[in-house]
Every structure is written in structure tokens, then in C-alpha cells.
Amino acid sequence: MKTLLVYYSYTGNTKIIVDMIKDKIDCDVLELKPKTPFLIDDYQEIVDEYQSNESTKKCVEIEAINVDLNDYDKIIIGTSVWWYTITPVVREFLKKNDLSKKKVYAFATNAGWLGRTFKEIESYCKLENTLNIQFTEDWREHTYLTSDEEISKWIEEIK
Ligand SMILES: Cc1cc2nc3c(=O)[nH]c(=O)nc-3n(C[C@H](O)[C@H](O)[C@H](O)COP(=O)(O)O)c2cc1C
């Protein structure tokens, strides 16, 4: 079974978890990149702009992906939560790629309000297993509150 870990990380929190998974699971990693990058200096503008993310389900264009999904049976999706659901970057990936024949796992980083993040992913593909990882509200701290034990246990489960 070949595994692909697909993620988008705006401020770097999701990337922290990606690195933990990468250390323990033999997988290829695909970072999704919006064609027009979300700049960290625009944090508050982006928070304001995406307030209706849950209802509008807006997508953004992303860079062409440089892997052949046919090579993988197992996909791990990593997203942060933008206004109670997935980021527009991850949504674009899920809309454009059929994962129905794959075993799909997902984790989400957030500041405590997961909302319907996993439910939206499940509207695109079936999920085998999920993990919610809470970070502190101030993204600059890059500090997760979910225990290392819980994260490690999940990684073991999805191996
Ligand atoms: C536009 C925007 C909307 C957000 N909405 C939520 C939210 O609805 N619930 C929540 O718990 N955190 C929310 N956050 C916080 C992020 O989900 C959290 O900081 C996450 O760990 C960031 O991951 P990243 O650095 O990989 O992008 C939001 C952040 C941004 C930028």
C-alpha cells in the first residue's frame, strides 16, 4: 500500500503534524499551494474575507499537483479549519480529484472550533478515521493542546 499525505498549511500548524506523521509513516507528501498565496501579513483580512466559508464553499485555484494519484491506495488529508470547515485550498483538491476508491484518513488543526470540517470532507469521499488537533488560539505560538499521546496513538492506528 502506497500512502500520500496531502495538506495545506497557512501559518504552519498543520505542517507541524505533517512532520510528525512523516517521521512515523512511510509516505509521500504533497503540499497544496494556492496559485495566489495567502500571505501571513494579511492574516486578519483573510479571516474577515472567509467568514462565509461554510456557506459559500468557495474554492481557490491551486498549483498543478506533481504526483499521480493512481499510484496511491491510501490518502491522508491535513487541513486547518477556516470558519468551521475545510480551507478553500483543500476543498479545491477534493473537488477536482476522485478519491472514492482509496482509503482516506483526515486530520484537522484548529483553535477549538472544528465545526463540520470532517462532514464536508465526507461529502467528497468516505473517511476511515479522523483526528482533531487543537492548537492555542494565537497561531503565532504554534502550540498544540491535544496530547502527544493522542496524536501518536492515531498515527499508529492509521499506519
Ligand atoms: C481564515 C481563518 C479562519 C479560521 N477559522 C477557525 C474556526 O472556525 N475554528 C477554529 O477552531 N479555528 C479557526 N482558525 C484557526 C486555525 O484553524 C488554526 O490556527 C490552525 O491550526 C491553523 O493551521 P495552519 O497554520 O496549518 O493553517 C481560523 C484561521 C483562519 C486563518
Side-chain angles (χ1 to χ4, degrees):
M1 266 228 189
K2 245 187 122 185
T3 304
L4 180 69
L5 170 46
V6 185
Y7 77 100
Y8 173 67
S9 186
Y10 170 42
T11 73
N13 285 350
T14 304
K15 174 75 165 53
I16 291 172
I17 309 302
V18 165
D19 290 341
M20 289 169 85
I21 296 173
K22 223 168 54 177
D23 277 355
K24 292 192 181 150
I25 294 185
D26 180 23
C27 60
D28 293 336
V29 178
L30 171 65
E31 179 184 6
L32 300 175
K33 294 186 181 152
K35 278 196 176 160
T36 308
F38 291 106
L39 302 176
I40 209 66
D41 287 347
D42 298 337
Y43 190 89
Q44 197 49 51
E45 284 89 330
I46 289 163
V47 168
D48 295 342
E49 186 184 339
Y50 282 90
Q51 264 196 55
S52 52
N53 183 37
E54 201 183 356
S55 54
T56 57
K57 300 209 166 53
K58 217 163 113 175
C59 288
V60 291
E61 282 191 88
I62 58 175
E63 300 282 352
I65 61 173
N66 58 356
V67 298
D68 184 352
L69 289 177
N70 292 318
D71 292 345
Y72 301 91
D73 334 87
K74 202 163 146 183
I75 309 283
I76 306 167
I77 297 166
T79 182
S80 51
V81 174
W82 280 21
W83 291 101
Y84 312 111
T85 190
I86 56 176
T87 62
V89 174
V90 169
R91 182 178 294 127
E92 172 74 4
F93 172 79
L94 290 170
K95 275 199 168 172
K96 296 281 161 70
N97 296 285
D98 177 14
L99 304 182
S100 61
K101 300 214 169 61
K102 315 213 181 268
K103 284 208 174 302
V104 186
Y105 303 80
F107 69 92
T109 72
N110 56 83
W113 299 273
L114 175 69
R116 58 182 311 281
T117 304
F118 295 132
K119 289 202 177 75
E120 185 175 344
I121 298 177
E122 277 185 315
S123 71
Y124 303 105
C125 59
K126 184 175 171 287
L127 282 177
E128 302 290 327
N129 200 328
T130 60
L131 180 68
N132 175 29
I133 301 143
Q134 188 179 340
F135 277 71
T136 54
E137 271 190 55
D138 185 350
W139 62 268
R140 291 174 200 83
E141 295 171 349
H142 299 299
T143 301
Y144 51 87
L145 301 171
T146 302
S147 69
D148 279 309
E149 202 182 6
E150 193 181 335
I151 299 169
S152 301
K153 191 170 154 262
W154 187 74
I155 298 172
E156 282 302 315
E157 272 170 30
I158 68 164
K159 247 181 185 172

